């Protein structure tokens, strides 16, 4: 069967297809045209922004200039209370002998005469420098004990240019803290003391001082660690836990304040690690410094409660009666006739709590004893041969211990 098509229908179908194609092209042209217009508008908007009037530009510049960083604001609060401490002391040294140089190296000469030359004492002035912070309107300055150790004269330089003499009120070598009294009339700028117990790792830390004699030097960092045991740094003659910071603390910064982000003193800069681990700074927590300063002002010396023990946290050295997972501090040595021995403690006893507060490390024991006053006895729970017991120990001042 043959199907015949109408030529007129073919023409009409062709017209319909062309109309659809033309309509589609028109729609696409409109879409692309809108996109083109949008791009042009965006370009000209960025290229030809409305210029600011001179008054508006001046106001904006002034607003940016008036914006202060939190470091600047912190320094406005306590920066003026940071001082430079210059020390002088007379040192006696031996001068050269009366014999010609090198003759004393002759062993026959020394053996024959039995002497090493006649030495004549000679004195010289040794100068030092450190930092400090005024914490009282009475002109009391907190600094490090090693800054003013054995000094004959103290000169304190203030941020306003004044230079006044100072007297040592008291010093404590165990915590490396000292208090100085300014020998002049105020008024004195004072720093705000914060609360070091509220610190957290990661908080801002601002170290202020005068390193290398450069006044009003500021460095910024964070709190890297809290309650760092000074024994971990290889220092055995101190009795403090330290704040660790990566804010640069250089020679001459000793005794200066460590500030928080709001300008409060949270620590007293004391030392910087040299050699391996260089760049780590350490500060004495201000709560500890405040207590020591109060003792020094009141009696001229600090009080350090002690019970006369040496402690260890080494699990492997615990006695066979103790579990390998026990927390606490094990007694490794008892001072003869000390408070601990008199109170019934023994070597290898494990201290697990003091005054009902759990003990995890030897540092916890030291901290609890330091917080205790000399008038109050300590309630110490121990574990001995898997049997718990309570011992009542009366601490004494470290200076009153009879070795």
């Amino acid at each position: 069967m043959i199907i015949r098509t109408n030529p007129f229908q073919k023409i009409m179908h062709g017209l319909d297809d062309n109309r659809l194609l033309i309509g589609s092209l028109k729609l696409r042209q409109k879409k692309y045209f809108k996109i083109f217009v949008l791009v042009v508008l965006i370009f000209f908007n960025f290229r030809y922004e409305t210029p600011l009037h001179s008054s508006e530009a001046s106001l904006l510049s002034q607003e940016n200039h008036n914006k202060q960083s939190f470091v600047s604001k912190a320094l406005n609060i306590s920066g003026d209370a940071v001082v430079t401490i210059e020390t002088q002391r007379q040192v006696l040294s031996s001068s050269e002998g009366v014999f010609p140089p090198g003759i004393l190296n002759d062993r026959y000469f020394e053996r024959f005469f039995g002497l090493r030359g006649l030495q004549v004492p000679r004195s010289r002035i040794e100068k030092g420098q450190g930092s400090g912070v005024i914490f009282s309107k009475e002109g009391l300055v907190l600094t490090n004990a090693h800054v003013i150790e054995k000094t004959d004269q103290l000169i304190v330089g203030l941020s306003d240019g004044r230079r006044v003499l100072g007297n040592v009120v008291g010093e404590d070598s165990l915590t490396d803290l000292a208090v100085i009294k300014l020998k002049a009339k105020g008024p004195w700028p004072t720093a705000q003391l914060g609360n070091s117990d509220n610190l957290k790792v990661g908080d801002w830390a601002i170290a202020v001082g005068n390193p290398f004699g450069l006044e009003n030097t500021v460095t910024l960092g964070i709190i890297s660690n809290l309650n760092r045991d000074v024994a971990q740094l290889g220092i055995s003659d101190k009795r403090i836990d330290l704040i660790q910071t990566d804010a640069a603390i250089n020679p001459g910064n000793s005794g200066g304040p460590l500030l928080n982000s709001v300008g409060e003193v949270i620590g007293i800069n004391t030392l910087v690690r040299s050699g391996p681990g260089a760049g780590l700074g350490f500060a004495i927590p201000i709560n500890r410094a405040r207590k020591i300063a109060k003792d020094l002002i009141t009696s001229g010396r600090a009080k350090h409660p002690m019970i006369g023990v040496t402690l260890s946290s080494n699990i492997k050295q615990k006695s066979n009666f103790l579990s390998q997972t026990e927390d606490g501090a094990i007694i490794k040595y008892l001072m003869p006739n000390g408070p601990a021995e008199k109170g019934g403690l023994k070597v290898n006893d494990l201290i697990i709590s003091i005054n009902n507060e759990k003990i995890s490390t030897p540092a916890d024991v030291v901290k609890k004893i330091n917080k205790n006053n000399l008038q109050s006895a300590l309630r110490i729970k121990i574990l001995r041969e898997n049997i718990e017991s309570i011992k009542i120990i009366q601490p004494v001042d470290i200076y009153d211990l009879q070795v």
Side-chain angles (χ1 to χ4, degrees), residues 2 41 71 79 100 217 307:
I2 299 173
L41 289 176
V71 178
T217 299
I307 61 174

Side-chain angles (χ1 to χ4, degrees), residues 183-253:
K183 295 173 62 176
K185 292 184 178 180
W188 309 109
T190 57
Q192 294 184 13
L193 304 186
N195 185 356
S196 54
D197 289 342
N198 293 336
L199 292 178
K200 296 180 180 178
V201 173
D203 286 349
W204 288 112
I206 307 168
V208 188
N210 308 292
F212 308 108
L214 303 174
E215 297 182 354
N216 301 324
T217 299
V218 181
T219 57
L220 178 65
I222 62 170
I223 302 296
S224 306
N225 191 279
L226 296 169
N227 303 318
R228 177 69 74 192
D229 188 356
V230 71
Q232 294 177 289
L233 305 176
I235 303 173
S236 59
D237 61 340
K238 305 298 178 188
R239 200 161 182 257
I240 44 176
D241 290 331
L242 299 173
I243 299 169
Q244 180 180 323
T245 176
D246 65 351
I249 300 177
N250 299 302
N253 255 358

Side-chain angles (χ1 to χ4, degrees), residues 27 32 41 50 80 157 165 203 219 248 267 275 287 289 307 336 343 375 390:
L27 288 174
Y32 291 137
L41 289 176
T50 304
D80 291 341
L165 294 175
D203 286 349
T219 57
N287 288 5
I307 61 174
Q375 287 72 38
I390 303 292

Side-chain angles (χ1 to χ4, degrees), residues 6-19:
N6 190 341
F8 181 76
Q9 289 180 345
K10 289 183 178 180
I11 294 173
M12 292 302 294
H13 282 302
L15 289 175
D16 290 340
D17 290 341
N18 289 336
R19 287 174 183 172

